[in-house]
């Protein structure tokens, strides 16, 4: 029995057999994924599950990570922020570093595969070293609908050389002369991050993290990044705290391709100072079971992002039957069906209002959690995601 069959228990009925049919005509084809970090952030999270499943359905799947120095990652973080609309100064030196590091990586990586999927802007310039026999696809996970144009125009010169681009939301797509596809990201229900935990496992982890469940827990799991608005979460918690004795847990860590985390973390520490009911947990990037246990222990999960690609943490919490309150941005808007599978909000006050509302209405909270889990089952599991990739490969011929 392949690993894929294990998903029959959790995926919608019939979907696993259908995946096998989708894979039939492309059996033995090679698919190579390239991104910029093995650990931390949503892309690595997905690839860790997706790549073995692509193997399981009979493809030759590989995952490579580009290497880069600090200068490179601080340049690409600048691009990332600028592409998501933040004002950034991008110097000609940064553009040069970007291209040089990509050139170096092209020399050490083998692109020998039928499909090469390049994730996000960091490795996008590898396209300059493509061979014509592979199909190259740029998979963009971020919101580039309102970019700083200078940076987008720079990146665009690489993107147009691809055979296709994939975006996470229709709104994220740009005017491009290449075919564009829409693929929602997904979570793996059987990974350590999302699988069921026994009561003993759950208890052991929470006691190790020194988290008590005496008071309702508001939780946000995120890299310490301004777009995730951890300071806004603290403000919302403070408004709620006037009426409800809750605690706030902010759990996060860094990603190896995100050098800004330290600064944001110290701002968060400063804002939380002197409040024993705010817990800031700095977790290593492989703390999957810890995040799983925290999401299960939470009463309400927040993802108050100001910009978001997709927001996997939302689907993760929904899968655990939790009501989620998220910023009305990016992929959060397709996961949280307002008032049914969660609430989207546009302000600190809005978040506080919805937290109050749910704390005062425990039956609504429970029902919302149930609906949230069902919605994830139908739309955001890794099995659906795998099917989308198989369909795309079929599209390009077999
Ligand atoms: N995550 C993690 N450790 C952390 C913070 C986040 O493992 O300290 C995980 C989180 O559970 C989720 C992913 O990283 O699976 C974050 O994906 P998301 O799409 O929410 O945000 P991104 O970081 O990609 O912007």
């Amino acid at each position: 029995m392949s690993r894929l069959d294990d998903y029959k228990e959790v995926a919608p009925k019939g979907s696993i057999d259908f995946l096998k049919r989708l894979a039939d005509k492309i059996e033995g084809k090679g698919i190579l994924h390239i991104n910029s970090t093995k650990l931390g952030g949503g892309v690595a999270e997905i690839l860790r599950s997706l790549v073995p499943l692509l193997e399981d359905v009979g493809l030759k799947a590989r995952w490579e990570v580009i290497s880069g120095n600090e200068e490179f990652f601080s340049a690409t973080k600048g691009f990332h922020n600028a592409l998501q609309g933040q004002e950034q100064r991008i110097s000609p030196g940064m553009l040069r570093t970007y291209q040089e590091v990509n050139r170096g990586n092209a020399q050490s990586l083998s692109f020998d595969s039928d499909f090469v999927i390049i994730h996000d802007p960091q490795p996008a310039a590898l396209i300059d070293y493509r061979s014509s026999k592979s199909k190259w696809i740029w998979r963009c996970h971020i919101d580039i609908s309102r970019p700083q144009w200078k940076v987008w125009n720079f990146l665009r010169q690489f993107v147009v050389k691809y055979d296709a681009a994939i975006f996470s939301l229709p709104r994220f797509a740009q005017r491009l002369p290449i075919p564009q596809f829409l693929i929602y990201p997904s979570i793996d229900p059987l990974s350590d991050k999302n699988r069921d935990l026994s009561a003993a496992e759950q208890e052991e982890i929470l006691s190790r993290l020194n988290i008590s469940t005496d008071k309702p827990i508001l939780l946000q799991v995120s890299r310490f990044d301004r777009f995730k608005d951890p300071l806004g979460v603290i403000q919302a918690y403070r408004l709620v705290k006037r009426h409800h004795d809750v605690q706030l847990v902010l759990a996060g860590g860094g990603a190896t391709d995100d050098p800004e985390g330290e600064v944001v973390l110290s701002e968060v520490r400063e804002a939380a100072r002197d409040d024993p009911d705010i817990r800031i947990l700095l977790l290593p990037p492989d703390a999957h079971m810890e995040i799983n246990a925290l999401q299960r222990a939470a009463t309400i999960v927040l993802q108050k992002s100001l910009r978001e690609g997709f927001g996997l943490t939302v689907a993760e919490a929904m899968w655990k039957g939790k009501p989620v309150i998220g910023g009305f941005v990016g992929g959060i808007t397709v996961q949280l069906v307002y008032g049914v599978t969660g609430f989207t909000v546009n302000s600190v006050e809005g978040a506080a209002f919805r937290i109050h509302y749910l704390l005062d209405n425990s039956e609504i909270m429970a029902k919302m959690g149930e609906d949230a889990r069902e919605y994830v089952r139908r739309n955001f599991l890794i099995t659906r995601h795998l099917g989308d990739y198989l369909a795309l490969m079929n599209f390009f011929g077999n």
Side-chain angles (χ1 to χ4, degrees), residues 307-325:
R307 281 277 200 293
E308 190 58 78
F310 186 70
L312 283 180
T313 50
V314 173
E316 288 166 6
M318 291 169 73
W319 180 245
K320 289 157 190 129
K322 300 298 167 177
V324 180
I325 298 173

Side-chain angles (χ1 to χ4, degrees), residues 40-43 45 48 80 187 193 221-225 228 251-255 281-288 291 295 303 308-314 316:
V43 180
E45 189 75 20
R48 183 152 8 97
H80 176 97
I187 61 161
K193 174 78 48 76
V221 174
S222 274
R223 289 179 295 105
F224 288 98
D225 178 314
K228 308 288 183 182
L281 295 179
L282 202 54
L283 299 173
D286 59 350
H288 305 300
I291 289 174
Q295 288 167 331
Q303 189 56 60
E308 190 58 78
F310 186 70
L312 283 180
T313 50
V314 173
E316 288 166 6

Side-chain angles (χ1 to χ4, degrees), residues 195-210:
R195 70 170 172 82
D196 288 345
L197 293 179
S198 69
E201 281 175 315
Q202 167 93 352
E203 227 168 85
E204 185 276 318
I205 296 169
L206 294 180
S207 98
R208 185 155 40 79
L209 295 175
N210 197 16

Side-chain angles (χ1 to χ4, degrees), residues 9 69 104 127 131 142-143 192 238 316 319 375:
E9 279 170 41
N69 51 17
I127 186 75
S131 77
I142 61 177
D143 175 355
D192 279 344
R238 292 229 156 94
E316 288 166 6
W319 180 245
Y375 201 60

Side-chain angles (χ1 to χ4, degrees), residues 67-125:
S67 54
N69 51 17
E70 216 182 307
E71 210 184 326
F72 173 74
F73 286 120
S74 97
T76 55
K77 182 70 189 189
F79 292 2
H80 176 97
N81 289 342
L83 289 166
Q84 295 211 116
Q86 210 180 62
E87 212 36 58
Q88 292 279 319
R89 217 187 77 75
I90 306 290
S91 66
M94 288 160 90
L95 303 182
R96 238 183 352 261
T97 302
Y98 173 72
Q99 283 177 281
E100 275 162 19
V101 169
N102 269 281
R103 183 179 336 117
N105 276 283
Q107 278 155 11
S108 58
L109 292 170
S110 153
F111 300 136
D112 184 18
S113 186
D114 298 294
F115 293 89
V116 179
I117 318 289
I118 301 290
H119 294 262
D120 281 339
Q122 298 91 330

